[in-house]
Amino acid sequence: MSKVSVIVPIYNAGSRLSRCIKSILNQTFNDFELILVNDGSTDKSLDICNRYRNQDNRIKVIDKENEGSFATRRRGVQAANSMYIMFVDADDWINKNTIEILYKESIDSNVDITVCNTYKVVGNCTFIKKKNQSTYFNDNKVFNKKEIKNELIVAYFHGHPFPPSLCAKLYKKELLQNSGKYLERIIFFGEDLFYNLEMFIKANRVKVINESLYYYRIGGFTSKYMPYLFNHIVNGYQIQREVIDEYYLDTKQKEYNGISVMLLNTFKTCLYNLFMSNLTETEMKSLIKEYTSNNEIVESTCNKGSINYFSSDYLNAIKNKDVNYLYELGEAIYKKKRLKMILMNIISKVALG
């Protein structure tokens, strides 16, 4: 049995996959298994996986039909033989001593989850990198049960910069195995966040270290319409309400303030998401009218936190079902985001050479 299992979920990773795999195989820590889970890729990803498996007996390859990110990670967890598990996305890579540091920190501090800091990189350029400057990474710290509840979990309610990603973390396997109840209601939007939310609730001790060991690749942005996005953000809001009602009775209003602001911020994402579709203006306005009739959206506009955070014009537009105002708002955000995506794609292509 290896001490650590590293799981890489893969879907059409292409040429980026080799760098990811090499960064794992070249670790200073050798007592690990690498589980490559191919989620029905239609490119050469499976061939790349098999090539590396033939070169290194620490590698397992699982090939399956396309099921999505969470199901793919779950298959990797089921196949893992180690007490500790970490995830690396196929687009990304890790520092050569990542596993060694995370494993040592987990054992020495006797924690359920160890979280390291990250770099954001453009393309393949390690010299163009941005360290996460979040205050959560100011020091190396062990959080006990109460501190996890009051400092880490609440970050997910208020949009604070504590990372929701499953990557750049080392988990006890039993924690991953015994969690996931919220994910049946989340298909693609927020899977990492709600998996982590449940695991952090269950964790007794968490260690956060300030060293950046994980390279998260940005770039290659696409404008893809997500027809079920609205339903998913409402589901997420409902899950967070349930967690607050169960675990945060003493600070309920404060946490409600946070999730209401988060919901109405993400509602703006739903508005500009419509402009990524092939829908007509009439069809988009019909959906916007439907959105503004949703109980959770209406409820959030009356929340104290929302009233203090958003303009009265925005809140009143939702309350009064001012479809034209919300349509124009979504269009304006889309145009701004579109320009940013074009610029980032140009930078990414330059960085890739």
Side-chain angles (χ1 to χ4, degrees), residues 146-165:
K146 183 178 180 180
E147 291 168 328
I148 295 168
K149 176 187 174 185
N150 294 332
E151 298 181 44
L152 300 184
I153 296 173
V154 296
Y156 296 146
F157 300 150
H158 296 271
H160 295 165
F162 183 70
S165 172

Side-chain angles (χ1 to χ4, degrees), residues 61 176 185 260 331 339:
V61 175
L176 288 160
R185 294 151 63 180
S260 295
E331 185 177 33
L339 178 60

Side-chain angles (χ1 to χ4, degrees), residues 25 32 51-60:
L25 296 179
F32 69 88
R51 186 174 78 242
Y52 280 101
R53 178 179 57 183
N54 293 335
Q55 299 171 5
D56 197 310
N57 60 14
R58 293 174 295 178
I59 297 178
K60 295 179 182 178

Side-chain angles (χ1 to χ4, degrees), residues 193-345:
L193 187 155
F194 290 104
Y195 202 8
N196 268 320
L197 179 61
E198 184 180 355
M199 288 190 285
F200 276 87
I201 288 171
K202 294 178 177 178
N204 292 309
R205 287 166 61 85
V206 171
K207 178 105 183 240
V208 176
I209 62 174
N210 59 17
E211 191 167 358
S212 294
L213 303 172
Y214 189 98
Y215 291 84
Y216 169 70
R217 189 199 303 259
I218 61 174
F221 297 94
T222 59
S223 299
K224 184 178 180 181
Y225 174 54
M226 296 177 283
Y228 304 110
L229 178 61
F230 180 78
N231 290 334
H232 292 215
I233 69 165
V234 170
N235 287 342
Y237 173 83
Q238 292 170 339
I239 291 169
Q240 289 176 316
R241 278 203 61 155
E242 291 170 17
V243 172
I244 292 167
D245 289 345
E246 184 172 357
Y247 297 100
Y248 291 88
L249 292 177
D250 53 338
T251 59
K252 179 184 283 191
Q253 184 56 55
K254 176 185 174 184
E255 315 312 341
Y256 276 0
N257 289 345
I259 65 172
S260 295
V261 170
M262 292 284 287
L263 176 62
L264 294 184
N265 260 332
T266 316
F267 179 58
K268 293 182 179 180
T269 304
C270 293
L271 294 176
Y272 80 74
N273 176 60
L274 293 172
F275 289 86
M276 298 178 186
S277 71
N278 293 321
L279 297 171
T280 65
E281 179 178 337
T282 300
E283 289 170 330
M284 284 191 271
K285 287 184 175 180
S286 176
L287 281 174
I288 293 172
K289 185 176 181 180
E290 182 181 322
Y291 293 165
T292 56
S293 299
N294 178 270
N295 289 335
E296 282 75 13
I297 294 293
V298 174
E299 174 185 85
S300 293
T301 62
C302 301
N303 176 272
K304 293 179 181 178
S306 298
I307 293 170
N308 292 331
Y309 186 88
F310 295 104
S311 70
S312 58
D313 287 345
Y314 177 54
L315 296 178
N316 288 332
I318 297 173
K319 291 177 184 177
N320 299 327
K321 296 181 173 52
D322 187 343
V323 171
N324 290 329
Y325 176 96
L326 296 172
Y327 177 89
E328 292 171 4
L329 175 63
E331 185 177 33
I333 297 173
Y334 170 75
K335 289 178 178 178
K336 185 176 179 180
K337 296 273 187 182
R338 180 67 176 166
L339 178 60
K340 183 178 179 181
M341 284 189 287
I342 292 172
L343 292 174
M344 287 303 299
N345 277 325

Side-chain angles (χ1 to χ4, degrees), residues 49-237:
C49 292
N50 288 330
R51 186 174 78 242
Y52 280 101
R53 178 179 57 183
N54 293 335
Q55 299 171 5
D56 197 310
N57 60 14
R58 293 174 295 178
I59 297 178
K60 295 179 182 178
V61 175
I62 298 173
D63 183 32
K64 65 179 189 63
E65 294 182 357
N66 181 257
E67 297 175 285
S69 174
F70 175 67
T72 302
R73 295 183 196 276
R74 181 68 89 183
R75 281 290 297 274
V77 171
Q78 291 169 348
N81 290 317
S82 310
M83 290 183 61
Y84 291 88
I85 292 177
M86 66 177 292
F87 298 100
V88 181
D89 283 348
D91 288 349
D92 305 334
W93 65 90
I94 57 177
N95 194 302
K96 65 180 181 180
N97 57 358
T98 299
I99 302 177
E100 179 180 3
I101 292 174
L102 291 179
Y103 182 75
K104 185 177 187 302
E105 295 285 355
S106 295
I107 297 299
D108 291 351
S109 299
N110 187 27
V111 296
D112 300 300
I113 307 171
T114 299
V115 184
C116 69
N117 205 349
T118 61
Y119 286 117
K120 285 186 178 180
V121 295
V122 178
N124 292 319
C125 296
T126 54
F127 60 88
I128 304 177
K129 59 187 180 184
K130 183 178 181 180
K131 185 175 183 176
N132 185 347
Q133 299 296 333
S134 166
T135 56
Y136 292 98
F137 295 104
N138 284 347
D139 302 295
N140 295 340
K141 180 179 177 179
V142 174
F143 293 79
N144 61 33
K145 188 80 174 177
K146 183 178 180 180
E147 291 168 328
I148 295 168
K149 176 187 174 185
N150 294 332
E151 298 181 44
L152 300 184
I153 296 173
V154 296
Y156 296 146
F157 300 150
H158 296 271
H160 295 165
F162 183 70
S165 172
L166 289 168
C167 298
K169 297 177 177 70
L170 184 67
Y171 300 91
K172 281 187 176 178
K173 180 183 178 181
E174 63 188 53
L175 200 57
L176 288 160
Q177 289 177 313
N178 297 329
S179 302
K181 68 177 182 179
Y182 300 129
L183 297 179
E184 295 176 0
R185 294 151 63 180
I186 300 293
I187 296 178
F188 67 90
F189 189 80
E191 288 179 339
D192 284 19
L193 187 155
F194 290 104
Y195 202 8
N196 268 320
L197 179 61
E198 184 180 355
M199 288 190 285
F200 276 87
I201 288 171
K202 294 178 177 178
N204 292 309
R205 287 166 61 85
V206 171
K207 178 105 183 240
V208 176
I209 62 174
N210 59 17
E211 191 167 358
S212 294
L213 303 172
Y214 189 98
Y215 291 84
Y216 169 70
R217 189 199 303 259
I218 61 174
F221 297 94
T222 59
S223 299
K224 184 178 180 181
Y225 174 54
M226 296 177 283
Y228 304 110
L229 178 61
F230 180 78
N231 290 334
H232 292 215
I233 69 165
V234 170
N235 287 342
Y237 173 83

